[in-house]
Amino acid sequence: MTTASADAHGHHGDHGHDHPEHLAHHFDTLEQQFDSCKLGMWAFLLTEVLFFSGLFVAYATLRANNPEIFSLAASFLDTKWGAINTVVLLVSSFTAAMSVRNAQLGETSKLKRNLLITLVCAGAFMCIKYVEYSHKYHVGLLPPGMEHSMFNPETPYIPHGDHTGEYLELQAHTADMTPAERVHTMTTLGRFFGVYFFLTGLHGVHVLIGMGVIGWVLMRANRGEFGPDNFTAVDLVALYWHLVDLVWIFLFPLLYLIH
Amino acid sequence: MTEHAHDSHDDHHGLGHVLPVKLLAGVLGALIFLTLLTVLTGTTYLYGFDLAVALLIATTKATLVCVIFMHLKWDKGFHAFAFIGSVLFVGVFLAYTLTDTKQYQDQIRDYAADTAIDSPFAQPLPDPPADHHHAAGEEHAAGEEHAEGDEDNH
């Protein structure tokens, strides 16, 4: 089914010589083409590791020098949502790995189903992130540069109404501190939330991009493009998705589970 | 190629290696189990080994994802080499930065103590403004001490 359907839209059909359907002209064999794509993707993935590492190092230096403040900061994150999101991403990683298998075996309907589940899980992850972010916005737990942040060093935002819980906790916690201690605590908490939003935000952007490319692969799967000799796109998108999962595997315990 | 569709144990199917469903499902089960475990260990007191335990569990999960889900076990060794190489360089980045930043902590604390008086946080955190649940006027006569930042009342 794969070779026949690819003719319908591919421009390979009119080559008129003996040439595998999905082989680009600048490659000698399908295997060489596949290996080149994989190498390129792995090169990209390792740059992604390095890309995220800057923020992880910022996190590590802050935490190493202020362990007690990080433990206080983590108490403002909801472990329940973090754990649910971890499971959601793990399931989506599983369905991404399953879709590679489906593409390799030419099981198009299963492939479409697994890609769709992956996409839905990614959407669920972002919805939960939205719930968490909007709560932090309302109570003022934002990076210190933001106007609506209670850690803003110029004009700290003071939450009111139903959103004072975290603020009152901090007020009580810092009440008996010396001025220098209190300034240090509030400043460092602000930096924690800076690192928190940049790390989870950069990760969230990766999830959104992942949803885009998974959607694109799903559209191609709908056209019946993938099969045993043409599953590279599914394979590479799954690799990317696994990396997004890998980053979260470290983010969850490092941000949510600090004593 | 349809006859191959039923042969899930074929190690060299076309271009890549096809993973059996049982293996993938087993890995998912292990990953979810380790997630529950890390929630458990992360919410109990572990005598200062919390971070080490959390990182050990996370690294085990990451290894499962890399080796099985990302096919590294059956992939070209060079891909694993390059990927592990990037992680090692992150380790170098981390180690050097951490040792360096430790050197300056006293100076940073001194500077912070000297300049603390300029910060609004030098004073105890003011009470939140009394809020009459979306009452029309925010300028209520509550007589509370309103700190800076109050102009952002919305």
Side-chain angles (χ1 to χ4, degrees), chain A residues 54-85:
Chain A
L55 282 165
F56 274 104
V57 169
Y59 166 91
T61 51
L62 269 178
R63 177 171 174 173
N65 294 309
N66 307 283
E68 70 297 332
I69 299 178
F70 263 51
S71 139
L72 171 67
S75 70
F76 294 125
L77 301 185
D78 197 332
T79 306
K80 175 192 70 192
W81 285 130
I84 291 174
N85 253 351

Side-chain angles (χ1 to χ4, degrees), chain B residues 56 92 95 117-118 123 131 133 150-151:
Chain B
L56 185 69
V92 173
I117 199 69
D118 301 328
Q123 310 302 320
D131 192 276
H133 283 275
D150 225 346
E151 86 273 356

Side-chain angles (χ1 to χ4, degrees), chain B residues 52-121:
Chain B
V53 170
L55 282 178
L56 185 69
I57 295 175
T59 307
T60 309
K61 289 167 73 182
T63 307
L64 279 174
V65 171
C66 285
V67 172
I68 312 287
F69 280 0
M70 295 173 97
H71 292 237
L72 272 182
K73 188 175 176 204
W74 302 272
D75 206 348
K76 286 192 163 17
F78 182 71
H79 297 162
F81 169 76
F83 195 65
I84 292 169
S86 77
V87 175
L88 289 180
F89 273 96
V90 172
V92 173
F93 184 15
L94 192 64
Y96 273 91
T97 315
L98 277 178
T99 47
D100 191 49
T101 186
K102 289 276 182 201
Q103 306 286 320
Y104 298 104
Q105 284 312 300
D106 290 340
Q107 279 162 273
I108 292 171
R109 294 249 174 182
D110 288 347
Y111 174 79
D114 290 345
T115 53
I117 199 69
D118 301 328
S119 166
F121 304 123

Side-chain angles (χ1 to χ4, degrees), chain A residues 15 89 119 126 144 153 181 208 235 240:
Chain A
H15 288 166
L89 267 198
L119 200 55
M126 289 313 289
E181 275 175 349
L208 289 177
D235 201 10
Y240 171 83

Side-chain angles (χ1 to χ4, degrees), chain A residues 74-149:
Chain A
S75 70
F76 294 125
L77 301 185
D78 197 332
T79 306
K80 175 192 70 192
W81 285 130
I84 291 174
N85 253 351
T86 307
V87 173
V88 166
L89 267 198
L90 290 175
V91 169
S92 76
S93 236
F94 166 73
T95 54
M98 283 294 286
S99 42
V100 174
R101 178 194 150 85
N102 298 145
Q104 286 171 321
L105 297 175
E107 304 167 332
T108 303
S109 60
K110 285 185 185 171
L111 168 64
K112 288 191 277 188
R113 192 189 62 201
N114 278 319
L115 285 173
L116 188 65
I117 297 173
T118 312
L119 200 55
V120 168
C121 285
F125 181 89
M126 289 313 289
C127 289
I128 291 175
K129 271 271 67 87
Y130 171 79
V131 170
E132 293 189 84
Y133 277 8
S134 72
H135 174 73
K136 282 180 191 61
Y137 175 82
H138 287 302
V139 300
L141 293 171
L142 294 178
M146 294 178 77
E147 200 184 342
H148 209 269
S149 169

